[in-house]
Amino acid sequence: MAKHFGTNGIRKKIKELTPEFVSGMCSSFAETIGKRGRIILGRDTRTSGEMVRGACIAGFLSSGCEVIDLGVVPSPTVEMEVLNLKADGGCIITASHNPPEWNALKFVDGKGLDVSKDRGEEVEKHFENGKFERADWDKIRGVENYSRALQDHEDKIFQMTDVKAIQKKKFKVILDCGNGTTGLIAPGMFRKLGCAILTLNCQPDGFFPGRNSEPTEKNLGDLISAMKNIRADLGIAWDGDGDRVIFINEKAEFIMGDKTFALCAQQEKRKKVVTTVATSNVIKDVSGEVIRTRVGAPYIAEKLFEIKGDMAGEEVGGVVWPEISYGKDGLITAVKMLEFMARNNKKISQLISALPEYHNYKMKVECASEKKKEAMERLKEQIKNAQGEKNYIDGVRIDFNEHEWVIARPSGTENFIRIFAEAKTLEKAEKICKEYEIKVKEIVQKA
Ligand code: MG
């Protein structure tokens, strides 16, 4: 089992992410990608970013790698440049939406795939041994500062978009960058698309003074009230590193991430789509084939690559566009939403409400982390003879019929087992969810 790698790289409070640890991990990663590779480096707006960057560079250079530093950029920009600049790997210094005292190393392999918890074990083996090849004095290479990355990313997005159709509409949009990295690219990009823009928290700031960095409905109160007061066409909010994006419609209503994903797949006519076991069935109704994976961005990316799929996405508000990269890209997703509105001559609420309707209900049951495994085993045993199709890819999912299902899965980071149910009506979703809450509670008590 990986000790340091989690679902999204090595995420820790900065006190634990010491320069020694960071440089050692980067040298360990260098061992796994082959000697003297080219590494694309980028970081988010955190106060610790510059310090961690120094330690990353020391680790990579001492291993004989060449570093191409993009500076402060969104995570999807790094993932794109690994492919674009034909690098051997990448390293993103970002703790995504975590509080400001956190930071993380997210490694990307030469195919542009994030290194998952499973694949991180190999990196950790080198780290634990402490044996890295160190380059000789005459083999140590340098750092190239590459300042075109944001422009490259914008160019790529515009190549894939009907820019003129959007420009004609002169949309009014409110951008909430959450003091993260999208503040460096989004305002300019939406202006070029002919939009009248209003900005919230678009100045990068590692203290995240504007709002909590995760784009949940609770954290987006300011954007939602701005949408109520100003009659804009779309409200857009990113997380700290710009892979996740959430939309607020023209009626100031929050749009769930899986609806955004479904709209992208439907409008772009994507047939072979990858998502997690915890995502709404709406995606099944609007695409062709849906392949489900464990919950976590690296797993959907790996599967998308393996099957050469057309698109991937997660319910938290992230869509992967394989023409650009294998990382979730909140920037192209945002631009595409405007394109869908322009192309169909419809408001965003109309496009979303035209999707097949599903309702969800979520609950959580407290469960100590050491009890999680046994509790899940007991649940599997208990539902063995229950009606419906069972799936154990991640937790326990039961599809009772085409439209109704429930999943119970242990949280990766908190002491909970999460339960999520979906049905055609909210009453039914709630009923299923509560039934399973009772089951799980009983099981946890016994575990
Ligand atoms: Mg993120």
Side-chain angles (χ1 to χ4, degrees), residues 339-360:
E339 186 186 317
F340 305 152
M341 289 156 66
R343 197 201 285 162
N344 294 286
N345 199 20
K346 290 231 161 81
K347 297 202 182 303
I348 190 65
S349 67
Q350 294 172 315
L351 292 174
I352 294 290
S353 61
L355 291 168
E357 198 181 352
Y358 284 92
H359 293 271
N360 307 112

CSV table of all heavy atoms in Angstrom, one decimal, residues 339-360:
chain,number,residue,atom,x,y,z
A,339,GLU,N,-20.4,27.9,-26.1
A,339,GLU,CA,-20.6,27.5,-27.4
A,339,GLU,C,-22.0,26.7,-27.6
A,339,GLU,O,-22.7,26.9,-28.5
A,339,GLU,CB,-19.5,26.5,-27.9
A,339,GLU,CG,-19.6,26.2,-29.4
A,339,GLU,CD,-18.6,25.2,-29.8
A,339,GLU,OE1,-17.4,25.3,-29.5
A,339,GLU,OE2,-19.0,24.2,-30.6
A,340,PHE,N,-22.3,25.9,-26.6
A,340,PHE,CA,-23.6,25.1,-26.7
A,340,PHE,C,-24.8,26.1,-26.6
A,340,PHE,O,-25.7,25.9,-27.3
A,340,PHE,CB,-23.7,24.1,-25.5
A,340,PHE,CG,-22.6,23.2,-25.4
A,340,PHE,CD1,-22.2,22.6,-24.1
A,340,PHE,CD2,-21.8,22.8,-26.5
A,340,PHE,CE1,-21.2,21.7,-24.0
A,340,PHE,CE2,-20.8,21.9,-26.4
A,340,PHE,CZ,-20.5,21.3,-25.2
A,341,MET,N,-24.6,27.2,-25.8
A,341,MET,CA,-25.7,28.1,-25.7
A,341,MET,C,-25.9,28.9,-27.0
A,341,MET,O,-27.0,29.1,-27.5
A,341,MET,CB,-25.4,29.1,-24.5
A,341,MET,CG,-25.5,28.5,-23.2
A,341,MET,SD,-24.5,29.4,-21.9
A,341,MET,CE,-25.3,31.0,-21.8
A,342,ALA,N,-24.7,29.3,-27.6
A,342,ALA,CA,-24.7,30.0,-28.8
A,342,ALA,C,-25.3,29.2,-30.0
A,342,ALA,O,-26.2,29.6,-30.7
A,342,ALA,CB,-23.3,30.5,-29.2
A,343,ARG,N,-24.8,28.0,-30.1
A,343,ARG,CA,-25.1,27.1,-31.2
A,343,ARG,C,-26.6,26.7,-31.2
A,343,ARG,O,-27.3,26.7,-32.2
A,343,ARG,CB,-24.3,25.8,-31.0
A,343,ARG,CG,-24.2,24.9,-32.2
A,343,ARG,CD,-23.8,23.5,-31.8
A,343,ARG,NE,-22.4,23.4,-31.4
A,343,ARG,CZ,-22.0,22.3,-30.7
A,343,ARG,NH1,-22.8,21.4,-30.3
A,343,ARG,NH2,-20.7,22.2,-30.4
A,344,ASN,N,-27.2,26.5,-30.0
A,344,ASN,CA,-28.6,26.1,-29.9
A,344,ASN,C,-29.5,27.3,-29.7
A,344,ASN,O,-30.7,27.2,-29.7
A,344,ASN,CB,-28.8,25.2,-28.7
A,344,ASN,CG,-28.1,23.9,-28.9
A,344,ASN,OD1,-28.6,23.0,-29.7
A,344,ASN,ND2,-27.0,23.7,-28.2
A,345,ASN,N,-28.9,28.5,-29.6
A,345,ASN,CA,-29.7,29.7,-29.3
A,345,ASN,C,-30.6,29.5,-28.1
A,345,ASN,O,-31.8,29.8,-28.1
A,345,ASN,CB,-30.5,30.1,-30.5
A,345,ASN,CG,-30.9,31.6,-30.4
A,345,ASN,OD1,-30.3,32.4,-29.7
A,345,ASN,ND2,-32.0,31.9,-31.2
A,346,LYS,N,-30.0,28.9,-27.0
A,346,LYS,CA,-30.8,28.6,-25.8
A,346,LYS,C,-30.1,29.1,-24.6
A,346,LYS,O,-28.9,29.2,-24.6
A,346,LYS,CB,-31.0,27.1,-25.7
A,346,LYS,CG,-31.9,26.5,-26.8
A,346,LYS,CD,-33.0,25.6,-26.1
A,346,LYS,CE,-34.2,25.4,-27.0
A,346,LYS,NZ,-33.9,24.3,-28.0
A,347,LYS,N,-30.9,29.3,-23.5
A,347,LYS,CA,-30.3,29.7,-22.2
A,347,LYS,C,-29.8,28.4,-21.6
A,347,LYS,O,-30.2,27.3,-21.9
A,347,LYS,CB,-31.4,30.3,-21.3
A,347,LYS,CG,-31.9,31.6,-21.9
A,347,LYS,CD,-32.5,32.4,-20.8
A,347,LYS,CE,-33.1,33.7,-21.3
A,347,LYS,NZ,-32.2,34.5,-22.0
A,348,ILE,N,-28.8,28.6,-20.7
A,348,ILE,CA,-28.2,27.4,-20.1
A,348,ILE,C,-29.2,26.5,-19.3
A,348,ILE,O,-29.2,25.3,-19.4
A,348,ILE,CB,-27.0,27.8,-19.2
A,348,ILE,CG1,-26.2,26.5,-18.8
A,348,ILE,CG2,-27.3,28.6,-18.0
A,348,ILE,CD1,-25.5,25.8,-19.9
A,349,SER,N,-30.2,27.2,-18.7
A,349,SER,CA,-31.2,26.4,-17.9
A,349,SER,C,-32.0,25.6,-18.9
A,349,SER,O,-32.4,24.5,-18.5
A,349,SER,CB,-32.1,27.4,-17.1
A,349,SER,OG,-32.9,28.1,-18.0
A,350,GLN,N,-32.3,26.1,-20.1
A,350,GLN,CA,-33.1,25.3,-21.0
A,350,GLN,C,-32.3,24.1,-21.5
A,350,GLN,O,-32.9,23.0,-21.7
A,350,GLN,CB,-33.4,26.2,-22.3
A,350,GLN,CG,-34.3,27.3,-21.9
A,350,GLN,CD,-34.5,28.3,-23.1
A,350,GLN,OE1,-33.5,28.7,-23.8
A,350,GLN,NE2,-35.7,28.7,-23.4
A,351,LEU,N,-31.0,24.2,-21.7
A,351,LEU,CA,-30.2,23.1,-22.2
A,351,LEU,C,-30.1,22.0,-21.1
A,351,LEU,O,-30.2,20.8,-21.4
A,351,LEU,CB,-28.8,23.6,-22.6
A,351,LEU,CG,-28.6,24.4,-23.8
A,351,LEU,CD1,-27.2,24.9,-23.9
A,351,LEU,CD2,-29.0,23.7,-25.1
A,352,ILE,N,-29.9,22.5,-19.9
A,352,ILE,CA,-29.8,21.5,-18.8
A,352,ILE,C,-31.2,20.8,-18.5
A,352,ILE,O,-31.2,19.6,-18.3
A,352,ILE,CB,-29.3,22.2,-17.5
A,352,ILE,CG1,-27.9,22.7,-17.7
A,352,ILE,CG2,-29.4,21.3,-16.3
A,352,ILE,CD1,-26.8,21.7,-17.7
A,353,SER,N,-32.3,21.6,-18.6
A,353,SER,CA,-33.5,21.0,-18.2
A,353,SER,C,-34.0,20.0,-19.4
A,353,SER,O,-34.9,19.2,-19.1
A,353,SER,CB,-34.6,22.0,-17.8
A,353,SER,OG,-34.8,22.9,-18.9
A,354,ALA,N,-33.4,20.2,-20.5
A,354,ALA,CA,-33.8,19.2,-21.6
A,354,ALA,C,-33.1,17.9,-21.5
A,354,ALA,O,-33.4,16.9,-22.2
A,354,ALA,CB,-33.4,19.9,-23.0
A,355,LEU,N,-32.1,17.8,-20.5
A,355,LEU,CA,-31.5,16.5,-20.3
A,355,LEU,C,-32.5,15.6,-19.5
A,355,LEU,O,-33.4,16.1,-18.8
A,355,LEU,CB,-30.3,16.7,-19.4
A,355,LEU,CG,-29.1,17.4,-20.0
A,355,LEU,CD1,-28.0,17.7,-18.9
A,355,LEU,CD2,-28.4,16.5,-21.1
A,356,PRO,N,-32.3,14.3,-19.7
A,356,PRO,CA,-33.2,13.4,-18.9
A,356,PRO,C,-33.1,13.7,-17.4
A,356,PRO,O,-32.0,14.0,-16.9
A,356,PRO,CB,-32.6,12.0,-19.2
A,356,PRO,CG,-31.9,12.1,-20.5
A,356,PRO,CD,-31.4,13.5,-20.5
A,357,GLU,N,-34.2,13.7,-16.7
A,357,GLU,CA,-34.3,14.1,-15.3
A,357,GLU,C,-34.0,13.0,-14.3
A,357,GLU,O,-34.6,12.0,-14.4
A,357,GLU,CB,-35.6,14.8,-15.0
A,357,GLU,CG,-35.6,15.7,-13.8
A,357,GLU,CD,-36.9,16.3,-13.5
A,357,GLU,OE1,-37.8,16.2,-14.3
A,357,GLU,OE2,-37.0,16.9,-12.4
A,358,TYR,N,-33.1,13.3,-13.4
A,358,TYR,CA,-32.8,12.3,-12.3
A,358,TYR,C,-32.7,13.1,-11.1
A,358,TYR,O,-32.4,14.3,-11.1
A,358,TYR,CB,-31.5,11.6,-12.6
A,358,TYR,CG,-31.5,10.5,-13.6
A,358,TYR,CD1,-31.2,10.8,-14.9
A,358,TYR,CD2,-31.9,9.2,-13.3
A,358,TYR,CE1,-31.3,9.8,-15.9
A,358,TYR,CE2,-32.0,8.2,-14.2
A,358,TYR,CZ,-31.6,8.5,-15.5
A,358,TYR,OH,-31.7,7.5,-16.5
A,359,HIS,N,-33.0,12.5,-9.9
A,359,HIS,CA,-32.8,13.1,-8.6
A,359,HIS,C,-31.9,12.3,-7.8
A,359,HIS,O,-31.9,11.1,-7.8
A,359,HIS,CB,-34.2,13.3,-8.0
A,359,HIS,CG,-35.0,14.3,-8.7
A,359,HIS,ND1,-35.0,15.6,-8.5
A,359,HIS,CD2,-35.9,14.1,-9.7
A,359,HIS,CE1,-35.8,16.2,-9.3
A,359,HIS,NE2,-36.4,15.3,-10.1
A,360,ASN,N,-31.1,13.0,-7.0
A,360,ASN,CA,-30.1,12.3,-6.1
A,360,ASN,C,-30.4,12.6,-4.6
A,360,ASN,O,-30.9,13.7,-4.3
A,360,ASN,CB,-28.7,12.8,-6.4
A,360,ASN,CG,-28.4,12.7,-7.9
A,360,ASN,OD1,-28.3,13.7,-8.6
A,360,ASN,ND2,-28.4,11.4,-8.4
